[in-house]
């Protein structure tokens, strides 16, 4: 099984610690999938600056296929990060060359040759979802904490597994939202709820899964690692509940160290 991750990347700069880590939603998912033994590629844009080389070298070291990485003249995306009580707090963000990134025809043919495509709301890939879905490739998409973004409703008909990260607990309001969005096309809508675990709806049943207690170092990448674990379960033909367990197990690993990976 092969997964194509495409879209945003960045270098996370931890100001107080004087350290930097590679990251970005689809980047992280690709690395976590490789950690779990699944082949993954990453398609996106980095700049010609040292941060671009840093990110590309880190991904190559993890065994991620970078054959469709764009290296464009300019600056790589950078996010300033602080850690407050173990939780990552984002500061200034510079998008750099990712602002103009779009999948080329060659990129599109490449990602459609994979079993599953994964991207997210910041990745500049939503316009290509109809073509990717029509190719027969399974589509997973992370709408992050943006449930009201217009992209949600326009993209959902072309998404098989839709992910949201909400600062909420299980509630009638959250479940009503999930019912509404699942009816628009996805096989399942999955919501991560931070310390309250996760909730999924497949059109018939709601599934709930708690967190796995660990010694928390940094929440960076926790949601992305959940998505990677869930995807692993999908590729292995597991049911929704078992996919959620894979997600929780993957997230628990990531929570125990600094940086996304």
């Amino acid at each position: 099984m092969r997964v194509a991750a495409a879209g945003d990347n960045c270098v996370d700069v931890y100001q107080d610690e004087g350290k930097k880590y590679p990251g970005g939603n689809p980047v992280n998912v690709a690395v976590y999938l490789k950690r779990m033994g699944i082949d993954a590629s990453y398609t996106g844009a980095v700049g010609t600056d040292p941060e671009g080389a840093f990110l590309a070298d880190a991904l190559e070291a993890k065994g991620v296929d970078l054959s469709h990485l764009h290296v464009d003249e300019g600056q790589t995306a950078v996010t300033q990060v602080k850690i407050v009580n173990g939780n990552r707090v984002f500061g200034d963000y510079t998008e750099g060359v990712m602002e103009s990134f779009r999948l080329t025809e060659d990129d599109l043919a490449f990602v459609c040759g994979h079993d599953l495509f994964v991207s997210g709301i910041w990745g500049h890939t939503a316009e290509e979802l109809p073509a990717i879905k029509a190719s027969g490739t399974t589509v997973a998409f992370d709408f992050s904490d943006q449930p009201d973004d217009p992209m949600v409703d326009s993209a959902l008909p072309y998404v098989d597994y839709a992910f949201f990260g909400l600062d909420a607990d299980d509630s009638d309001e959250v479940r009503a939202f999930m019912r509404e969005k699942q009816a628009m096309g996805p096989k399942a809508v999955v919501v991560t709820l931070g310390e309250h675990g996760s909730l999924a709806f497949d059109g018939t049943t709601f599934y709930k899964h708690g967190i796995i207690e660990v010694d928390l170092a940094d929440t960076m990448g926790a949601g992305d690692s959940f998505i990677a674990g869930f995807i692993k379960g999908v590729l292995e033909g597991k049911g929704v509940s078992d996919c959620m367990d894979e997600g929780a197990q993957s997230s628990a690993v990531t929570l125990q160290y600094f940086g996304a990976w």
Side-chain angles (χ1 to χ4, degrees), residues 165-197:
L166 303 181
D167 184 17
D169 197 352
D170 182 5
S171 66
D172 291 342
E173 182 180 6
V174 168
R175 291 190 178 217
F177 168 79
M178 295 173 70
R179 286 191 183 95
E180 176 189 343
K181 300 311 176 186
Q182 191 279 330
M184 300 181 71
K187 294 179 180 178
V189 171
V190 184
V191 175
T192 54
L193 302 167
E195 64 181 8
H196 302 295

PDB file of all heavy atoms in Angstrom, residues 165-197:
ATOM      1  N   GLY A 165     -10.378  18.877  13.852  1.00  0.00           N
ATOM      2  CA  GLY A 165      -9.861  18.982  15.215  1.00  0.00           C
ATOM      3  C   GLY A 165     -10.594  20.102  15.919  1.00  0.00           C
ATOM      4  O   GLY A 165     -10.428  21.271  15.563  1.00  0.00           O
ATOM      5  N   LEU A 166     -11.419  19.776  16.894  1.00  0.00           N
ATOM      6  CA  LEU A 166     -12.262  20.769  17.551  1.00  0.00           C
ATOM      7  C   LEU A 166     -11.915  20.902  19.032  1.00  0.00           C
ATOM      8  O   LEU A 166     -11.615  19.911  19.689  1.00  0.00           O
ATOM      9  CB  LEU A 166     -13.742  20.387  17.413  1.00  0.00           C
ATOM     10  CG  LEU A 166     -14.284  20.195  15.986  1.00  0.00           C
ATOM     11  CD1 LEU A 166     -15.761  19.841  16.030  1.00  0.00           C
ATOM     12  CD2 LEU A 166     -14.049  21.440  15.137  1.00  0.00           C
ATOM     13  N   ASP A 167     -11.966  22.124  19.514  1.00  0.00           N
ATOM     14  CA  ASP A 167     -11.756  22.383  20.940  1.00  0.00           C
ATOM     15  C   ASP A 167     -13.100  22.209  21.636  1.00  0.00           C
ATOM     16  O   ASP A 167     -13.784  23.179  21.967  1.00  0.00           O
ATOM     17  CB  ASP A 167     -11.203  23.786  21.136  1.00  0.00           C
ATOM     18  CG  ASP A 167     -10.877  24.094  22.587  1.00  0.00           C
ATOM     19  OD1 ASP A 167     -10.771  23.127  23.382  1.00  0.00           O
ATOM     20  OD2 ASP A 167     -10.741  25.278  22.927  1.00  0.00           O
ATOM     21  N   ALA A 168     -13.501  20.974  21.815  1.00  0.00           N
ATOM     22  CA  ALA A 168     -14.836  20.673  22.340  1.00  0.00           C
ATOM     23  C   ALA A 168     -14.834  19.278  22.950  1.00  0.00           C
ATOM     24  O   ALA A 168     -13.866  18.532  22.837  1.00  0.00           O
ATOM     25  CB  ALA A 168     -15.876  20.753  21.220  1.00  0.00           C
ATOM     26  N   ASP A 169     -15.945  18.936  23.579  1.00  0.00           N
ATOM     27  CA  ASP A 169     -16.183  17.591  24.079  1.00  0.00           C
ATOM     28  C   ASP A 169     -17.308  16.987  23.243  1.00  0.00           C
ATOM     29  O   ASP A 169     -17.951  17.682  22.436  1.00  0.00           O
ATOM     30  CB  ASP A 169     -16.562  17.632  25.555  1.00  0.00           C
ATOM     31  CG  ASP A 169     -16.420  16.277  26.251  1.00  0.00           C
ATOM     32  OD1 ASP A 169     -16.177  15.270  25.543  1.00  0.00           O
ATOM     33  OD2 ASP A 169     -16.556  16.232  27.477  1.00  0.00           O
ATOM     34  N   ASP A 170     -17.555  15.715  23.406  1.00  0.00           N
ATOM     35  CA  ASP A 170     -18.686  15.065  22.755  1.00  0.00           C
ATOM     36  C   ASP A 170     -19.970  15.771  23.196  1.00  0.00           C
ATOM     37  O   ASP A 170     -20.223  15.924  24.392  1.00  0.00           O
ATOM     38  CB  ASP A 170     -18.707  13.581  23.154  1.00  0.00           C
ATOM     39  CG  ASP A 170     -19.837  12.808  22.488  1.00  0.00           C
ATOM     40  OD1 ASP A 170     -20.540  13.391  21.651  1.00  0.00           O
ATOM     41  OD2 ASP A 170     -20.002  11.628  22.835  1.00  0.00           O
ATOM     42  N   SER A 171     -20.776  16.204  22.235  1.00  0.00           N
ATOM     43  CA  SER A 171     -22.003  16.927  22.564  1.00  0.00           C
ATOM     44  C   SER A 171     -23.016  16.743  21.440  1.00  0.00           C
ATOM     45  O   SER A 171     -22.677  16.295  20.329  1.00  0.00           O
ATOM     46  CB  SER A 171     -21.723  18.427  22.743  1.00  0.00           C
ATOM     47  OG  SER A 171     -21.324  19.006  21.510  1.00  0.00           O
ATOM     48  N   ASP A 172     -24.250  17.097  21.708  1.00  0.00           N
ATOM     49  CA  ASP A 172     -25.292  17.029  20.680  1.00  0.00           C
ATOM     50  C   ASP A 172     -24.932  17.929  19.501  1.00  0.00           C
ATOM     51  O   ASP A 172     -25.180  17.583  18.340  1.00  0.00           O
ATOM     52  CB  ASP A 172     -26.646  17.451  21.256  1.00  0.00           C
ATOM     53  CG  ASP A 172     -27.203  16.437  22.258  1.00  0.00           C
ATOM     54  OD1 ASP A 172     -26.732  15.284  22.248  1.00  0.00           O
ATOM     55  OD2 ASP A 172     -28.097  16.813  23.034  1.00  0.00           O
ATOM     56  N   GLU A 173     -24.337  19.078  19.804  1.00  0.00           N
ATOM     57  CA  GLU A 173     -23.965  20.015  18.747  1.00  0.00           C
ATOM     58  C   GLU A 173     -22.891  19.424  17.840  1.00  0.00           C
ATOM     59  O   GLU A 173     -22.974  19.518  16.609  1.00  0.00           O
ATOM     60  CB  GLU A 173     -23.469  21.326  19.354  1.00  0.00           C
ATOM     61  CG  GLU A 173     -23.106  22.384  18.329  1.00  0.00           C
ATOM     62  CD  GLU A 173     -22.610  23.665  18.971  1.00  0.00           C
ATOM     63  OE1 GLU A 173     -22.434  23.690  20.208  1.00  0.00           O
ATOM     64  OE2 GLU A 173     -22.401  24.645  18.237  1.00  0.00           O
ATOM     65  N   VAL A 174     -21.880  18.818  18.448  1.00  0.00           N
ATOM     66  CA  VAL A 174     -20.806  18.197  17.666  1.00  0.00           C
ATOM     67  C   VAL A 174     -21.359  17.052  16.822  1.00  0.00           C
ATOM     68  O   VAL A 174     -21.034  16.908  15.642  1.00  0.00           O
ATOM     69  CB  VAL A 174     -19.676  17.699  18.590  1.00  0.00           C
ATOM     70  CG1 VAL A 174     -18.707  16.805  17.823  1.00  0.00           C
ATOM     71  CG2 VAL A 174     -18.930  18.882  19.209  1.00  0.00           C
ATOM     72  N   ARG A 175     -22.226  16.243  17.399  1.00  0.00           N
ATOM     73  CA  ARG A 175     -22.794  15.110  16.667  1.00  0.00           C
ATOM     74  C   ARG A 175     -23.691  15.574  15.524  1.00  0.00           C
ATOM     75  O   ARG A 175     -23.698  14.954  14.449  1.00  0.00           O
ATOM     76  CB  ARG A 175     -23.547  14.186  17.624  1.00  0.00           C
ATOM     77  CG  ARG A 175     -22.599  13.455  18.586  1.00  0.00           C
ATOM     78  CD  ARG A 175     -23.300  12.368  19.374  1.00  0.00           C
ATOM     79  NE  ARG A 175     -22.352  11.664  20.235  1.00  0.00           N
ATOM     80  CZ  ARG A 175     -22.382  10.363  20.488  1.00  0.00           C
ATOM     81  NH1 ARG A 175     -23.346   9.602  19.962  1.00  0.00           N
ATOM     82  NH2 ARG A 175     -21.480   9.797  21.270  1.00  0.00           N
ATOM     83  N   ALA A 176     -24.428  16.649  15.734  1.00  0.00           N
ATOM     84  CA  ALA A 176     -25.262  17.180  14.655  1.00  0.00           C
ATOM     85  C   ALA A 176     -24.395  17.675  13.497  1.00  0.00           C
ATOM     86  O   ALA A 176     -24.725  17.461  12.313  1.00  0.00           O
ATOM     87  CB  ALA A 176     -26.133  18.318  15.189  1.00  0.00           C
ATOM     88  N   PHE A 177     -23.298  18.329  13.840  1.00  0.00           N
ATOM     89  CA  PHE A 177     -22.341  18.776  12.819  1.00  0.00           C
ATOM     90  C   PHE A 177     -21.804  17.590  12.036  1.00  0.00           C
ATOM     91  O   PHE A 177     -21.732  17.615  10.791  1.00  0.00           O
ATOM     92  CB  PHE A 177     -21.198  19.536  13.500  1.00  0.00           C
ATOM     93  CG  PHE A 177     -20.017  19.795  12.621  1.00  0.00           C
ATOM     94  CD1 PHE A 177     -20.028  20.829  11.702  1.00  0.00           C
ATOM     95  CD2 PHE A 177     -18.883  18.988  12.696  1.00  0.00           C
ATOM     96  CE1 PHE A 177     -18.935  21.067  10.887  1.00  0.00           C
ATOM     97  CE2 PHE A 177     -17.783  19.221  11.893  1.00  0.00           C
ATOM     98  CZ  PHE A 177     -17.816  20.263  10.977  1.00  0.00           C
ATOM     99  N   MET A 178     -21.432  16.512  12.722  1.00  0.00           N
ATOM    100  CA  MET A 178     -20.866  15.342  12.064  1.00  0.00           C
ATOM    101  C   MET A 178     -21.889  14.670  11.158  1.00  0.00           C
ATOM    102  O   MET A 178     -21.559  14.217  10.055  1.00  0.00           O
ATOM    103  CB  MET A 178     -20.330  14.364  13.117  1.00  0.00           C
ATOM    104  CG  MET A 178     -19.151  14.931  13.905  1.00  0.00           C
ATOM    105  SD  MET A 178     -18.637  13.879  15.289  1.00  0.00           S
ATOM    106  CE  MET A 178     -17.917  12.486  14.398  1.00  0.00           C
ATOM    107  N   ARG A 179     -23.133  14.584  11.595  1.00  0.00           N
ATOM    108  CA  ARG A 179     -24.191  14.009  10.755  1.00  0.00           C
ATOM    109  C   ARG A 179     -24.351  14.807   9.462  1.00  0.00           C
ATOM    110  O   ARG A 179     -24.455  14.248   8.370  1.00  0.00           O
ATOM    111  CB  ARG A 179     -25.518  13.981  11.512  1.00  0.00           C
ATOM    112  CG  ARG A 179     -25.632  12.929  12.592  1.00  0.00           C
ATOM    113  CD  ARG A 179     -27.073  12.819  13.083  1.00  0.00           C
ATOM    114  NE  ARG A 179     -27.201  11.863  14.170  1.00  0.00           N
ATOM    115  CZ  ARG A 179     -27.180  12.203  15.458  1.00  0.00           C
ATOM    116  NH1 ARG A 179     -27.036  13.482  15.808  1.00  0.00           N
ATOM    117  NH2 ARG A 179     -27.303  11.280  16.401  1.00  0.00           N
ATOM    118  N   GLU A 180     -24.376  16.123   9.620  1.00  0.00           N
ATOM    119  CA  GLU A 180     -24.549  17.003   8.459  1.00  0.00           C
ATOM    120  C   GLU A 180     -23.415  16.824   7.454  1.00  0.00           C
ATOM    121  O   GLU A 180     -23.653  16.697   6.247  1.00  0.00           O
ATOM    122  CB  GLU A 180     -24.603  18.460   8.920  1.00  0.00           C
ATOM    123  CG  GLU A 180     -24.677  19.461   7.785  1.00  0.00           C
ATOM    124  CD  GLU A 180     -24.501  20.891   8.261  1.00  0.00           C
ATOM    125  OE1 GLU A 180     -24.648  21.143   9.478  1.00  0.00           O
ATOM    126  OE2 GLU A 180     -24.207  21.752   7.415  1.00  0.00           O
ATOM    127  N   LYS A 181     -22.191  16.791   7.942  1.00  0.00           N
ATOM    128  CA  LYS A 181     -21.041  16.715   7.042  1.00  0.00           C
ATOM    129  C   LYS A 181     -20.892  15.325   6.440  1.00  0.00           C
ATOM    130  O   LYS A 181     -20.513  15.185   5.274  1.00  0.00           O
ATOM    131  CB  LYS A 181     -19.766  17.128   7.777  1.00  0.00           C
ATOM    132  CG  LYS A 181     -19.810  18.554   8.324  1.00  0.00           C
ATOM    133  CD  LYS A 181     -20.275  19.556   7.283  1.00  0.00           C
ATOM    134  CE  LYS A 181     -20.416  20.958   7.847  1.00  0.00           C
ATOM    135  NZ  LYS A 181     -21.015  21.915   6.877  1.00  0.00           N
ATOM    136  N   GLN A 182     -21.189  14.274   7.201  1.00  0.00           N
ATOM    137  CA  GLN A 182     -21.082  12.924   6.647  1.00  0.00           C
ATOM    138  C   GLN A 182     -22.102  12.718   5.527  1.00  0.00           C
ATOM    139  O   GLN A 182     -21.824  12.035   4.541  1.00  0.00           O
ATOM    140  CB  GLN A 182     -21.282  11.884   7.758  1.00  0.00           C
ATOM    141  CG  GLN A 182     -20.934  10.453   7.367  1.00  0.00           C
ATOM    142  CD  GLN A 182     -22.044   9.757   6.583  1.00  0.00           C
ATOM    143  OE1 GLN A 182     -23.226  10.067   6.780  1.00  0.00           O
ATOM    144  NE2 GLN A 182     -21.672   8.823   5.728  1.00  0.00           N
ATOM    145  N   ALA A 183     -23.266  13.344   5.633  1.00  0.00           N
ATOM    146  CA  ALA A 183     -24.314  13.211   4.618  1.00  0.00           C
ATOM    147  C   ALA A 183     -23.898  13.836   3.291  1.00  0.00           C
ATOM    148  O   ALA A 183     -24.523  13.563   2.250  1.00  0.00           O
ATOM    149  CB  ALA A 183     -25.602  13.847   5.107  1.00  0.00           C
ATOM    150  N   MET A 184     -22.845  14.642   3.298  1.00  0.00           N
ATOM    151  CA  MET A 184     -22.389  15.293   2.075  1.00  0.00           C
ATOM    152  C   MET A 184     -21.471  14.416   1.237  1.00  0.00           C
ATOM    153  O   MET A 184     -21.057  14.818   0.150  1.00  0.00           O
ATOM    154  CB  MET A 184     -21.692  16.609   2.418  1.00  0.00           C
ATOM    155  CG  MET A 184     -22.604  17.595   3.138  1.00  0.00           C
ATOM    156  SD  MET A 184     -21.818  19.168   3.529  1.00  0.00           S
ATOM    157  CE  MET A 184     -21.702  19.863   1.870  1.00  0.00           C
ATOM    158  N   GLY A 185     -21.102  13.228   1.760  1.00  0.00           N
ATOM    159  CA  GLY A 185     -20.318  12.332   0.925  1.00  0.00           C
ATOM    160  C   GLY A 185     -19.315  11.416   1.577  1.00  0.00           C
ATOM    161  O   GLY A 185     -19.114  10.288   1.107  1.00  0.00           O
ATOM    162  N   PRO A 186     -18.632  11.832   2.653  1.00  0.00           N
ATOM    163  CA  PRO A 186     -17.591  10.970   3.222  1.00  0.00           C
ATOM    164  C   PRO A 186     -18.121   9.645   3.768  1.00  0.00           C
ATOM    165  O   PRO A 186     -19.249   9.578   4.257  1.00  0.00           O
ATOM    166  CB  PRO A 186     -17.017  11.818   4.368  1.00  0.00           C
ATOM    167  CG  PRO A 186     -17.345  13.217   4.006  1.00  0.00           C
ATOM    168  CD  PRO A 186     -18.669  13.147   3.311  1.00  0.00           C
ATOM    169  N   LYS A 187     -17.277   8.620   3.695  1.00  0.00           N
ATOM    170  CA  LYS A 187     -17.606   7.357   4.350  1.00  0.00           C
ATOM    171  C   LYS A 187     -17.650   7.549   5.866  1.00  0.00           C
ATOM    172  O   LYS A 187     -18.448   6.905   6.559  1.00  0.00           O
ATOM    173  CB  LYS A 187     -16.561   6.296   3.995  1.00  0.00           C
ATOM    174  CG  LYS A 187     -16.546   5.901   2.526  1.00  0.00           C
ATOM    175  CD  LYS A 187     -15.455   4.872   2.261  1.00  0.00           C
ATOM    176  CE  LYS A 187     -15.431   4.477   0.789  1.00  0.00           C
ATOM    177  NZ  LYS A 187     -14.335   3.513   0.495  1.00  0.00           N
ATOM    178  N   ALA A 188     -16.771   8.408   6.356  1.00  0.00           N
ATOM    179  CA  ALA A 188     -16.734   8.676   7.796  1.00  0.00           C
ATOM    180  C   ALA A 188     -16.229  10.084   8.043  1.00  0.00           C
ATOM    181  O   ALA A 188     -15.352  10.588   7.324  1.00  0.00           O
ATOM    182  CB  ALA A 188     -15.844   7.671   8.517  1.00  0.00           C
ATOM    183  N   VAL A 189     -16.796  10.716   9.059  1.00  0.00           N
ATOM    184  CA  VAL A 189     -16.299  11.994   9.572  1.00  0.00           C
ATOM    185  C   VAL A 189     -15.693  11.713  10.939  1.00  0.00           C
ATOM    186  O   VAL A 189     -16.334  11.083  11.789  1.00  0.00           O
ATOM    187  CB  VAL A 189     -17.424  13.033   9.683  1.00  0.00           C
ATOM    188  CG1 VAL A 189     -16.945  14.277  10.432  1.00  0.00           C
ATOM    189  CG2 VAL A 189     -17.934  13.417   8.302  1.00  0.00           C
ATOM    190  N   VAL A 190     -14.462  12.168  11.133  1.00  0.00           N
ATOM    191  CA  VAL A 190     -13.727  11.886  12.365  1.00  0.00           C
ATOM    192  C   VAL A 190     -13.332  13.211  13.009  1.00  0.00           C
ATOM    193  O   VAL A 190     -12.768  14.085  12.345  1.00  0.00           O
ATOM    194  CB  VAL A 190     -12.470  11.036  12.086  1.00  0.00           C
ATOM    195  CG1 VAL A 190     -11.774  10.666  13.392  1.00  0.00           C
ATOM    196  CG2 VAL A 190     -12.818   9.796  11.274  1.00  0.00           C
ATOM    197  N   VAL A 191     -13.630  13.356  14.282  1.00  0.00           N
ATOM    198  CA  VAL A 191     -13.311  14.577  15.012  1.00  0.00           C
ATOM    199  C   VAL A 191     -12.396  14.227  16.185  1.00  0.00           C
ATOM    200  O   VAL A 191     -12.734  13.366  17.004  1.00  0.00           O
ATOM    201  CB  VAL A 191     -14.592  15.256  15.533  1.00  0.00           C
ATOM    202  CG1 VAL A 191     -14.236  16.463  16.397  1.00  0.00           C
ATOM    203  CG2 VAL A 191     -15.480  15.686  14.374  1.00  0.00           C
ATOM    204  N   THR A 192     -11.236  14.879  16.243  1.00  0.00           N
ATOM    205  CA  THR A 192     -10.385  14.739  17.424  1.00  0.00           C
ATOM    206  C   THR A 192     -10.749  15.860  18.391  1.00  0.00           C
ATOM    207  O   THR A 192     -10.965  17.002  17.989  1.00  0.00           O
ATOM    208  CB  THR A 192      -8.892  14.792  17.062  1.00  0.00           C
ATOM    209  OG1 THR A 192      -8.607  15.988  16.316  1.00  0.00           O
ATOM    210  CG2 THR A 192      -8.510  13.578  16.221  1.00  0.00           C
ATOM    211  N   LEU A 193     -10.793  15.510  19.681  1.00  0.00           N
ATOM    212  CA  LEU A 193     -11.306  16.406  20.706  1.00  0.00           C
ATOM    213  C   LEU A 193     -10.283  16.658  21.813  1.00  0.00           C
ATOM    214  O   LEU A 193     -10.644  16.858  22.974  1.00  0.00           O
ATOM    215  CB  LEU A 193     -12.588  15.809  21.307  1.00  0.00           C
ATOM    216  CG  LEU A 193     -13.728  15.543  20.309  1.00  0.00           C
ATOM    217  CD1 LEU A 193     -14.800  14.661  20.938  1.00  0.00           C
ATOM    218  CD2 LEU A 193     -14.333  16.863  19.824  1.00  0.00           C
ATOM    219  N   GLY A 194      -8.999  16.639  21.444  1.00  0.00           N
ATOM    220  CA  GLY A 194      -7.960  16.899  22.434  1.00  0.00           C
ATOM    221  C   GLY A 194      -7.994  15.885  23.555  1.00  0.00           C
ATOM    222  O   GLY A 194      -8.030  14.673  23.329  1.00  0.00           O
ATOM    223  N   GLU A 195      -8.016  16.370  24.785  1.00  0.00           N
ATOM    224  CA  GLU A 195      -7.994  15.487  25.954  1.00  0.00           C
ATOM    225  C   GLU A 195      -9.264  14.646  26.073  1.00  0.00           C
ATOM    226  O   GLU A 195      -9.305  13.691  26.839  1.00  0.00           O
ATOM    227  CB  GLU A 195      -7.818  16.315  27.219  1.00  0.00           C
ATOM    228  CG  GLU A 195      -8.953  17.256  27.514  1.00  0.00           C
ATOM    229  CD  GLU A 195      -8.736  18.081  28.762  1.00  0.00           C
ATOM    230  OE1 GLU A 195      -7.629  18.036  29.318  1.00  0.00           O
ATOM    231  OE2 GLU A 195      -9.676  18.779  29.185  1.00  0.00           O
ATOM    232  N   HIS A 196     -10.295  14.985  25.285  1.00  0.00           N
ATOM    233  CA  HIS A 196     -11.546  14.224  25.331  1.00  0.00           C
ATOM    234  C   HIS A 196     -11.557  13.068  24.324  1.00  0.00           C
ATOM    235  O   HIS A 196     -12.594  12.410  24.172  1.00  0.00           O
ATOM    236  CB  HIS A 196     -12.729  15.150  25.078  1.00  0.00           C
ATOM    237  CG  HIS A 196     -12.830  16.281  26.058  1.00  0.00           C
ATOM    238  ND1 HIS A 196     -13.070  16.085  27.402  1.00  0.00           N
ATOM    239  CD2 HIS A 196     -12.681  17.621  25.897  1.00  0.00           C
ATOM    240  CE1 HIS A 196     -13.085  17.253  28.024  1.00  0.00           C
ATOM    241  NE2 HIS A 196     -12.857  18.201  27.137  1.00  0.00           N
ATOM    242  N   GLY A 197     -10.452  12.831  23.650  1.00  0.00           N
ATOM    243  CA  GLY A 197     -10.361  11.689  22.741  1.00  0.00           C
ATOM    244  C   GLY A 197     -10.846  12.009  21.342  1.00  0.00           C
ATOM    245  O   GLY A 197     -10.598  13.105  20.819  1.00  0.00           O
TER     246      GLY A 197
END
